[in-house]
Amino acid sequence: MKTRISLLNELRQQNPLVHCITNIVVANFQANGLLALGASPIMADSIEEAADVSAISSCTLLNIGTLDSSAVTSMFAAGKAASTKGQPLVLDPVGAGATGFRKQTVAKLLEELEITLIRGNAGEIASIAGVDWKAKGVDAGNGTANIVEAAKDVARRHRCLVAVTGETDIVTDGEKVIGIKGGHPLMSRITGMGCLLSAVSAAFLSIGKLAPIETTAYSLAFYKKAGEVAAEQASGPGDFAVHFLNALHQLEDAAIDFDQFIVEEEVAK
């Protein structure tokens, strides 16, 4: 990952269509973020069209933030259509361990769909892994489990990539682990930052220029850089969100610092 690559420029040229079955809290921010990045969002969660929309999209995101039974049905239809077309399918298991309904839904989605990437916080990944962790609703919470090993276990069991985001992000395919430093604390003060990141990662995965694990790591590094740029201009959470959208729009490939990437041994320290 030390060589300069042009994923961002490629994404803007391709302008991927990103199908988001997402939650009502973040839909507007997610759509605006994708537009700022250079992708095209489409929010279609009706069972009457979910599969058709995924079939024509470049990638699909399933976000369980405000879950209901009709959305679950649409997620299965959209996810199966995406996999049939060979398109990236990203799962954002928001608050995966908060309720039995969420936990059961995530387990069934992972069992029946061919997920490309699970993107969540430490509490969500710990819940999927079945390790001890005290999540706080949809927030990461805290615990003593080894999240790197938990992520690797989830990736191996479900044959997908797993990205755990926090102060240091990690992405793993079950064997290789890439860590990404950077970002800014204000990123945790805006509702939907993680949800938008899942959509951004999906957009990058649809480009297909690098190995999926490297593409995901790149998307995480890009996102952290956008947070740093936005924080330099912001006075608080309110205008940070505006500056963040501007950063998604203005950043170029050359701005990505590949010194942010660290190996597994450094992640564990």
Side-chain angles (χ1 to χ4, degrees):
M1 293 298 294
K2 293 295 184 180
T3 56
R4 293 291 173 186
I5 50 179
S6 57
L7 277 186
L8 187 53
N9 182 58
E10 187 73 24
L11 183 149
R12 288 168 177 161
Q13 289 182 3
Q14 292 190 25
N15 184 228
L17 182 62
V18 183
H19 180 199
C20 302
I21 298 182
T22 192
N23 73 75
I24 60 173
V25 178
V26 307
N28 180 265
F29 183 62
Q30 205 170 59
N32 282 333
L34 287 169
L35 285 170
L37 172 66
S40 292
I42 181 167
M43 275 56 183
D45 58 7
S46 171
I47 185 57
E48 287 80 8
E49 65 173 0
D52 291 339
V53 172
S54 276
I56 62 169
S57 297
S58 306
C59 55
T60 296
L61 167 68
L62 309 178
N63 177 303
I64 71 164
T66 50
L67 199 60
D68 62 54
S69 56
S70 61
V72 174
T73 302
S74 295
M75 286 181 185
F76 280 105
K80 289 175 181 177
S83 296
T84 297
K85 293 290 185 177
Q87 299 156 351
L89 179 60
V90 175
L91 173 63
D92 190 331
V94 181
T99 66
F101 180 41
R102 289 174 189 254
K103 193 166 186 176
Q104 292 163 14
T105 298
V106 168
K108 193 172 181 181
L109 288 168
L110 289 171
E111 178 183 351
E112 297 189 19
L113 297 180
E114 297 176 17
I115 302 296
T116 307
L117 167 68
I118 306 169
R119 200 293 314 164
N121 62 35
E124 292 156 355
I125 301 306
S127 174
I128 296 171
V131 299
D132 187 41
W133 198 270
K134 293 183 179 179
K136 184 181 179 182
V138 300
D139 295 331
N142 57 73
T144 58
N146 186 322
I147 290 299
V148 174
E149 290 303 317
K152 289 169 69 175
D153 177 60
V154 171
R156 286 192 294 265
R157 278 196 281 135
H158 299 290
R159 299 179 300 280
C160 66
L161 296 173
V162 174
V164 188
T165 49
E167 185 174 345
T168 296
D169 296 347
I170 66 166
V171 59
T172 180
D173 58 5
E175 300 299 331
K176 183 178 181 180
V177 176
I178 301 173
I180 304 96
K181 300 181 291 185
H184 193 276
L186 277 174
M187 298 176 78
S188 66
R189 294 291 180 261
I190 303 297
T191 297
M193 287 295 291
C195 298
L196 173 55
L197 172 55
S198 296
V200 167
S201 293
F204 274 107
L205 281 167
S206 72
I207 302 306
K209 193 172 182 180
L210 293 177
I213 188 171
E214 294 181 342
T215 299
T216 302
Y218 181 95
S219 72
L220 300 177
F222 163 76
Y223 207 74
K224 281 185 175 293
K225 186 63 177 181
E228 294 168 3
V229 170
E232 291 175 356
Q233 305 170 64
S235 58
D239 63 340
F240 175 81
V242 175
H243 290 302
F244 187 78
L245 291 178
N246 288 341
L248 292 179
H249 176 68
Q250 294 166 355
L251 279 177
E252 300 293 341
D253 282 300
I256 309 305
D257 181 8
F258 290 94
D259 289 335
Q260 289 175 270
F261 293 94
I262 54 179
V263 298
E264 179 177 359
E265 289 73 17
E266 293 174 307
V267 173
K269 290 179 180 179

